[in-house]
């Protein structure tokens, strides 16, 4: 292997990203002088090459990162070669294939449980911290994970975020945890099920009961950035938050927006400093069947419905409930 090529590979800046429950390894290969111009994005299903100048993403057919080298059943254990790498106990495996990776050393710690930042390869959710590679002449090239310093001051996190955006439609898709819950429209006096909602700012689910148990009352508001009355009502909700903060939690659930970035910016601009989630079709059927916006529901801490209405026009009635 040419020393310059070797240097580029061994100093690649890498980042593990979890997007929509997929694990993606991103590598930015440096040029000898100046910032990198190419980024490689790979997960278990595909490999892409991203040109940082044009933003164009193309398929990357690198033979050494195909799926056959990512499946543990293509390797056999060789326990006598186990070793410790980066303070991790690693198991040694040897490939059944004649070409490609010859031996690999896999950390016993799964990717999601590890604090390591720069694994070179992922197999079945585990980290590969050392590998050897066959060359045509029979000679092996070793690679062992090491602590890699930033190659320059240019961070590629923002570039990565732009090119791996999740379509907002996926945020409104049905949630598995809600499939057995009732979809009957709520009325005052009903007890609401423990619905799961996708978090706007984090890649996780929020359970309704985890919010309602925190305070005496919880406001569940349905809104959208496209809804002018919703944006006007926001000032009234902020007033309620300030007045009843000791006894009141607020949970805003967004519906029908088209742009994740715009939604987050609007929440920040309006200083909506509380919990935010995405609506699903089932959630809207239960809480807002008629599709009127803004929609506000007040729950107590045992998840009973105390009020259903419009915060823009029903402020006095809402305060009456919260004053009890």
């Amino acid at each position: 292997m040419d020393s310059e090529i070797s240097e580029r590979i061994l100093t690649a800046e890498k980042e593990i990203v979890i997007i929509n429950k997929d694990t993606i390894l991103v590598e930015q290969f440096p040029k000898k002088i100046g910032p990198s111009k190419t980024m490689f994005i790979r997960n278990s299903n595909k490999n892409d090459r991203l040109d940082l100048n044009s933003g164009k993403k193309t398929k990357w057919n690198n033979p050494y990162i195909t799926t056959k080298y990512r499946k543990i059943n293509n390797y056999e254990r060789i326990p006598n070669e186990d070793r410790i790498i980066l303070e991790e106990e690693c198991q040694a495996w040897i490939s059944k294939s004649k070409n490609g990776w010859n031996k690999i050393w896999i950390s016993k710690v799964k990717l999601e449980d590890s604090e390591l930042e720069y694994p070179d390869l992922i197999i079945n959710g585990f980290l590969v911290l050392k590998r050897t590679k066959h060359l045509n002449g029979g000679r092996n090239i070793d690679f062992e994970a090491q602590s890699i310093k930033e190659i320059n001051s240019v961070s590629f996190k923002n570039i990565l975020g732009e090119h791996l955006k999740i379509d907002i439609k996926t945020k409104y898709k049905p949630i598995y945890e809600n499939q057995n819950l009732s979809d009957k429209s709520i009325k005052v006096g009903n007890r609401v099920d423990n619905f799961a909602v996708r978090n706007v700012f984090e890649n996780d689910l929020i359970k309704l009961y985890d919010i309602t148990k925190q305070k005496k009352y919880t406001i569940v508001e349905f809104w959208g950035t496209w809804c002018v009355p919703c944006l006007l009502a926001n000032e009234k909700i902020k007033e309620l938050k300030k007045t009843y903060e000791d006894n009141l939690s607020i949970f805003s659930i967004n519906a029908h927006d088209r742009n994740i970035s715009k939604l987050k910016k609007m929440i920040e601009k309006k200083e909506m400093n509380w919990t935010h989630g995405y609506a699903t079709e089932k959630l809207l059927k239960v809480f807002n069947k008629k599709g009127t916006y803004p929609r506000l529901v007040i729950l107590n801490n045992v998840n009973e419905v105390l009020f259903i209405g419009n915060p823009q026009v029903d402020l006095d009635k809402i305060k009456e409930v919260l004053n009890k």
Side-chain angles (χ1 to χ4, degrees):
M1 181 179 285
D2 182 286
S3 60
E4 182 178 346
I5 296 175
S6 178
E7 180 184 348
R8 287 183 62 186
I9 291 177
L10 296 180
T11 58
E13 187 173 349
K14 303 164 191 269
E15 182 166 346
I16 294 295
V17 183
I18 308 296
I19 295 181
N20 200 26
K21 298 185 178 179
D22 289 331
T23 300
I24 297 175
L25 174 61
V26 181
E27 296 178 300
Q28 181 177 228
F29 288 85
K31 287 194 170 184
K32 265 199 160 182
I33 301 174
S36 174
K37 300 299 182 187
T38 306
M39 184 187 298
F40 297 98
I41 305 169
R42 66 198 200 185
N43 62 14
S44 59
N45 298 318
K46 62 181 180 179
N47 309 296
D48 294 318
R49 180 198 304 266
L50 176 65
D51 185 287
L52 302 188
N53 287 332
S54 67
K56 185 178 180 181
K57 189 165 65 172
T58 56
K59 189 174 181 181
W60 179 35
N61 295 313
N62 187 316
Y64 293 112
I65 62 169
T66 53
T67 54
K68 73 175 181 178
Y69 300 124
R70 294 173 175 273
K71 295 179 181 178
I72 200 65
N73 58 6
N74 289 323
Y75 295 84
E76 293 178 351
R77 278 281 282 128
I78 42 174
N80 60 313
E81 295 193 34
D82 289 354
R83 57 177 296 179
I84 294 176
I85 302 172
L86 291 181
E87 300 181 355
E88 297 278 348
E89 294 183 16
C90 294
Q91 296 179 343
W93 298 73
I94 189 166
S95 174
K96 300 174 186 176
S97 173
K98 294 181 180 180
N99 298 304
W101 306 124
N102 177 24
K103 295 178 184 178
I104 56 174
W105 282 259
I106 301 179
S107 168
K108 293 166 70 175
V109 180
K110 267 193 172 290
L111 176 66
E112 57 264 28
D113 300 324
S114 176
E115 296 181 358
L116 295 178
E117 296 180 1
Y118 299 110
D120 185 65
L121 197 65
I122 305 164
I123 289 183
N124 286 31
F126 290 85
L127 309 180
V128 177
L129 297 185
K130 180 178 172 66
R131 70 188 185 204
T132 61
K133 187 177 77 171
H134 276 304
L135 294 183
N136 290 336
R139 193 162 51 93
N140 281 348
I141 295 293
D142 285 356
F143 176 90
E144 186 166 322
Q146 55 192 286
S147 178
I148 303 173
K149 296 179 181 179
E150 289 188 9
I151 54 174
N152 53 56
S153 60
V154 179
S155 171
F156 61 88
K157 289 183 180 178
N158 292 335
I159 300 171
L160 175 63
E162 285 297 313
H163 289 274
L164 294 179
K165 281 184 177 177
I166 301 172
D167 186 337
I168 196 169
K169 292 179 181 179
T170 65
K171 295 292 188 179
Y172 299 124
K173 286 184 177 179
I175 296 174
Y176 175 81
E177 285 80 355
N178 295 340
Q179 64 177 346
N180 294 322
L181 302 183
S182 171
D183 59 1
K184 186 177 180 180
S185 182
I186 60 168
K187 297 179 181 178
V188 173
N190 290 164
R191 188 172 187 272
V192 177
D193 288 332
N194 190 18
F195 283 93
V197 180
R198 291 187 182 90
N199 195 328
V200 167
F201 287 97
E202 302 291 338
N203 189 29
D204 61 4
L205 295 178
I206 307 166
K207 286 298 186 75
L208 180 61
Y209 287 6
D210 288 338
I211 296 175
T212 57
K213 70 182 181 183
Q214 296 175 16
K215 301 285 181 71
K216 184 177 180 181
Y217 301 111
T218 296
I219 283 177
V220 182
E221 175 215 15
F222 290 81
W223 74 294
T225 64
W226 43 267
C227 168
V228 175
C230 296
L231 300 179
L232 294 174
N234 174 254
E235 297 304 316
K236 293 182 171 59
I237 291 176
K238 284 197 286 188
E239 177 189 331
L240 293 171
K241 181 179 185 295
K242 184 177 181 180
T243 304
Y244 300 96
E245 189 162 9
D246 291 342
N247 291 318
L248 180 64
S249 296
I250 299 175
F251 187 17
S252 288
I253 301 179
N254 176 266
H256 309 308
D257 259 287
R258 298 181 180 181
N259 185 298
I260 293 175
S261 178
K262 179 182 176 181
L263 170 61
K264 291 181 178 179
K265 287 178 181 177
M266 182 63 75
I267 291 170
E268 292 167 353
K269 179 182 178 180
K270 287 289 188 178
E271 298 180 340
M272 301 166 69
N273 301 320
W274 51 79
T275 307
H276 292 269
Y278 290 95
T280 62
E281 185 177 341
K282 186 168 189 173
L283 207 63
L284 293 178
K285 188 174 182 180
V286 172
F287 285 89
N288 194 7
K289 188 174 182 179
K290 293 183 179 180
T292 57
Y293 295 89
R295 176 79 155 181
L296 184 146
V297 177
I298 300 177
L299 305 175
N300 61 19
N301 55 12
V302 291
N303 305 295
E304 294 171 337
V305 179
L306 305 180
F307 174 84
I308 302 172
N310 184 329
Q312 181 66 0
V313 298
D314 295 329
L315 187 62
D316 290 340
K317 294 179 182 178
I318 292 168
K319 287 182 177 179
E320 187 179 328
V321 173
L322 298 178
N323 283 326
K324 291 180 181 178

